[in-house]
């Protein structure tokens, strides 16, 4: 399962630039949502700064472990 999720995320990352160029509006927002960590807008400079996760947030929740934790 972990290997399949890793392959899925790698494929999404590979296709991301082309897919992002084709999408607009709500579709683009939904594509970006799991990857965004933070966004800051500087209105004076008209600049948007995005902090991107290395792994999409959705990918963090589907990975599980069968081994007990340290506590």
């Amino acid at each position: 399962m972990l290997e399949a999720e890793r392959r899925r995320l790698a494929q999404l990352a590979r296709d991301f630039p082309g897919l992002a160029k084709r999408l607009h509006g709500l579709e683009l927002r939904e594509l970006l949502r799991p990857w965004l960590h933070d966004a800051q807008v500087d209105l004076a400079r008209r600049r948007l700064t995005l902090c991107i996760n290395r792994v999409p947030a959705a990918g963090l929740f589907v990975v599980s472990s069968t081994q007990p934790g340290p506590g």
Side-chain angles (χ1 to χ4, degrees), residues 2 4 9 14-15 19 23 35 43 51 54-55 59 62-63 69-70:
L2 186 58
L9 293 174
R14 237 186 328 273
D15 293 344
L19 188 56
L23 297 179
W35 294 91
L43 295 176
C51 292
R54 287 180 178 230
V55 175
V62 297
V63 177

Side-chain angles (χ1 to χ4, degrees), residues 1 3-4 9 15 19-23 25 27 30 34-35 39-40 42-44 48 50 53 56-57 65-66 69:
M1 170 138 168
E3 182 61 28
L9 293 174
D15 293 344
L19 188 56
K21 286 178 186 177
R22 292 190 304 269
L23 297 179
E27 291 175 329
E30 289 306 310
W35 294 91
Q40 297 178 356
D42 182 340
L43 295 176
L48 172 65
L50 301 175
N53 293 318
S65 173
T66 57

Side-chain angles (χ1 to χ4, degrees), residues 40-49:
Q40 297 178 356
V41 178
D42 182 340
L43 295 176
R45 293 184 180 171
R46 298 177 48 98
R47 181 180 295 172
L48 172 65
T49 303

